[in-house]
Amino acid sequence: MATAFADQLRSLSDDALGALIQLRPDLVVPVPADISALAVRAQSRGSVARCLDALDEFTLAVLDAARLSRGEETALTSVTAIVALASGVSPDDVGVAIGRLRARFLLHGPEEALQVVGAVDEVTSPYPAGLGRPADYLDAQAAALCADRAKLRRTVMAAPPGARAVLDRLAAGPPVGALSSGGTVAEPVQWLIDHHILVPVTEAGRAPRPDGELVELPREVGLLLRRESGPLGELRPFPPSPQGPVRDVKSVDSAGAGQVMEAVRTTEALLEALSAEPAPVLKTGGLGVRDLKRLARAAGVDEPVAALLLEVAYAAGLLGESDAAGTGRGVTTSRATGTADEIFLPTGAYDLWRALSVAQRWWALATGWLVMTRQPGLVGQRDDRDKPINALSPDAERAGAPQARREVLAALAELAPGTAPEAGDVLALLAWQAPRRARGREQTHRDALAGAATLGLTGRGALTSYGRLLESGDDRAEADPLGAGPGGERLPGASEAVRALDALLPAPVDHVLVQADLSVVVPGPPEPELAAELEVIAELESAGGASVHRVTAASVRRALDVGYAATDLHALFQRRSRTPIPQALTYLIDDAARKHGGLRGGSAGSYVRSDDEALIAEVLADKRLSTASLRRLAPTVLVSPLQLTRLLGALREAGFAPVAEDAAGAAVLSRPKVRRAASRTPVSARIAEPAGPLLTGPRLAGVVEQIRRGDIATRAARRAPVTVRAANGQSVPGLTSVQAHTQAMAVLQQAVRDKARVWVGYVDAHGATLSRLVRAVSLSAGYLRAEDERTETLHTFALHRVTAAVLEE
């Protein structure tokens, strides 16, 4: 069978073989040595399961029809038999589905003698289309009843209401149910057993016995009960069409762009809050509940949104762990003492990210979200141990999350532009497109929809134009999300999505509007340089398309502390403001500058000095500074045991305006030291596409040619047989190295399925070619595990050392 399958692949044209590789790219990871190796891989459990995962509901139903219509002796079916089972559906639609299965070589052979790949039965339900096994396999009395169709129909019609409800449930599939509940067989179930409509069985695949733990509905009874809906149940050749309002594309893009600005602003606020007050890493990993609440309050969002954006920032390389000294990752969490030696801090890449345009910053976040193997929607829920799942903790790791996000975006992209479907309609569409993959992923898909809305990929429930460009995959060619020139200007290789979003966002502004009440209106997103200046000289009051800041005495004092002089501040406002500078702002700056530096501190622990003796006396008498334990050394000098930074902070809280000075008495004016974690590689830069390589054009032709050449070389080598000898030195009849390694793999797979004994030829550690007669147990992870019944020893063979295999006759 394996040889016939390989011969069918060998007979394909190069174009047809290339089409198969494109449909099943995992077959060439790595590139097989020859056609026989390709055939073995195409029939393996893992590859067949991956191929089935990508098939739609109708194609899987047609595959079930092929399994049901197989002959008992030949295990063959035909197009005619499959079409007959798919009643109520156009034969043309069935033919298209059969074509999809044959193109993927899940069905192979001529139309009147089609064969289902053996691994299909191993990786799918033992009950095709939800129908049970034939009655003659289950029970002789049930087989006799089913042979008389008129008697079977009368018996089913005579079933009591409770028994008929059981039959209807089992007929819908799966066809098995529990025999008893609490040790007692229910009366309807017992009636059906007594009348041989249900058969007690053990677990599927084992031999039936009268005292089985389950009951099974024979296939013939299931087909009788499905006489109205058809043998395969309700068939849907075409996907469900999601219903929803069709919104104006411009309004969708506008709403999405507004949400993009909000997502970028919130992410920056979260990371700034962590920079000002780093959060410790929990002993079990992740961010504590209290810290998440604190950060959410600081950014003005709810906790789920804060958790999502923190996870995305981590995936984009903007957030990382650092030792408590802020020198990057170097000290691990001490689990023995229970002390946390690590904290969450923005990385060095965060400072580069802040200098980019809003569209580029969004691109870094969106691509990080798209590929991160995290499910932020789980944060706040409880795990299997009834413990809460924390943000950034290992418990939120989900390997299937990136695939689920791509599926959601692809489903939205298939709809007409502006269509805003309900979440339930999107889930129904995904369940039709890939039912095996969608099973159990409903919450993951809902989280993907919520994440897309939060990041602005969707607006008013519909996919945006730049979201479509991101989903199409063109943007994945740009490896560096922070790849921009000085000042954030666009590089030649910038993504189309970034360009499309840039056109929707308001142009960055380099000016402000200063009001008489000392409020500062920024009529658009500020340029990076202006944003850095506003962060120092004013307090943010409201954010959005146009943000509002306010100049206060504290913000002016902060600007003076980082090195601005009064003349610098006057010049800055004159340069940036498009409105006249109010006199109140001029007075505020001059008054703060006059007071600033009137007190100077140094280390003693620390000291405070001033040429103004009255001011020193006022400080010493201030009860609010009692915790500083100030002591007069001279009429103009006070000392304190506190460190200088703490003393200056206490003085500022009391309303004074001190500055630090160095050993020479010069004022020390500087910005606060910014703490950063070590830079991390963004997730998007180190996660490859899970579906396999994208093979097109010359690359695909090269792979096909390599396989063809390897096949020619292998077939030529078969002309020189080498006898394989057993461990005692005698030759083993029928076992030679002309059996290619790949053919041996097919024999071993068959031996594992049948639990059969097989001669295995292999190369030992000394390079000698030997063989053993063993009973195959399992074949996985590159190893064959088999039992030598003569010595009662379990052997493990590395598959790359296996040279041949022959089933025992």
Side-chain angles (χ1 to χ4, degrees), residues 302-589:
D302 56 19
E303 293 166 36
V305 172
L308 169 65
L309 295 178
L310 287 170
E311 292 278 7
V312 170
Y314 192 92
L318 309 179
L319 176 64
E321 300 97 332
S322 172
D323 61 79
T327 57
R329 180 183 282 279
V331 180
T332 58
T333 301
S334 175
R335 300 179 185 271
T337 61
T339 58
D341 296 325
E342 287 185 326
I343 54 177
F344 285 111
L345 275 176
T347 64
Y350 167 65
D351 298 305
L352 299 175
W353 178 80
R354 290 185 67 192
L356 302 178
S357 69
V358 173
Q360 287 177 306
R361 282 185 276 175
W362 168 84
W363 189 89
L365 298 178
T367 52
W369 171 79
L370 192 61
V371 300
M372 69 177 185
T373 56
R374 310 275 304 165
Q375 188 175 342
L378 296 175
V379 174
Q381 300 183 18
R382 307 192 80 82
D383 60 14
D384 297 337
R385 298 164 296 173
D386 198 34
K387 294 184 178 180
I389 297 176
N390 297 98
L392 302 173
S393 72
D395 296 329
E397 193 79 18
R398 293 295 184 272
Q403 179 67 33
R405 295 187 193 103
R406 282 190 290 269
E407 291 169 355
V408 167
L409 293 183
L412 293 175
E414 290 179 1
L415 304 177
T419 303
E422 295 291 335
D425 291 340
V426 176
L427 297 184
L429 176 60
L430 294 172
W432 186 92
Q433 290 177 337
R436 284 170 54 92
R437 202 158 52 203
R439 192 177 303 119
R441 281 191 178 181
E442 292 81 3
Q443 188 56 49
T444 307
H445 288 142
R446 290 185 183 275
D447 290 344
L449 285 169
T454 301
L455 290 172
L457 276 85
T458 59
R460 302 185 65 193
L463 189 63
T464 59
S465 59
Y466 54 88
R468 289 177 183 274
L469 292 171
L470 179 67
E471 185 277 331
S472 67
D474 297 338
D475 295 66
R476 297 173 196 171
E478 185 178 350
D480 185 6
L482 303 178
E489 66 268 17
R490 186 73 59 247
L491 293 181
S495 68
E496 292 299 324
V498 171
R499 292 193 182 96
L501 179 57
D502 255 338
L504 296 169
L505 294 171
V509 298
D510 61 356
H511 62 275
V512 298
L513 306 174
V514 181
Q515 307 295 315
D517 60 353
L518 300 187
S519 61
V520 179
V521 178
V522 186
E527 289 184 342
E529 184 180 356
L530 175 59
E533 292 170 347
L534 288 171
E535 184 181 349
V536 175
I537 64 175
E539 309 286 355
L540 178 65
E541 287 196 339
S542 66
S547 56
V548 178
H549 303 252
R550 185 171 299 279
V551 181
T552 65
S555 69
V556 173
R557 187 165 60 238
R558 182 172 65 237
L560 295 171
D561 286 342
V562 301
Y564 282 99
T567 54
D568 297 330
L569 293 177
H570 289 310
L572 187 152
F573 283 109
Q574 288 288 351
R575 185 176 73 254
R576 293 293 190 182
S577 180
R578 293 290 178 85
T579 56
I581 304 301
Q583 196 174 40
L585 178 58
T586 303
Y587 288 161
L588 177 63
I589 294 173

Side-chain angles (χ1 to χ4, degrees), residues 787-801:
E787 181 183 6
D788 188 335
E789 295 179 340
R790 182 176 59 84
T791 60
E792 297 184 351
T793 305
L794 187 66
H795 293 274
T796 300
F797 302 90
L799 293 183
H800 69 273
R801 289 183 173 273

Side-chain angles (χ1 to χ4, degrees), residues 255-281:
Q259 184 57 37
V260 163
M261 296 176 63
E262 180 64 18
V264 170
R265 182 202 67 79
T266 305
T267 302
E268 185 172 350
L270 289 168
L271 296 180
E272 283 298 311
L274 271 175
S275 178
E277 186 178 346
V281 179

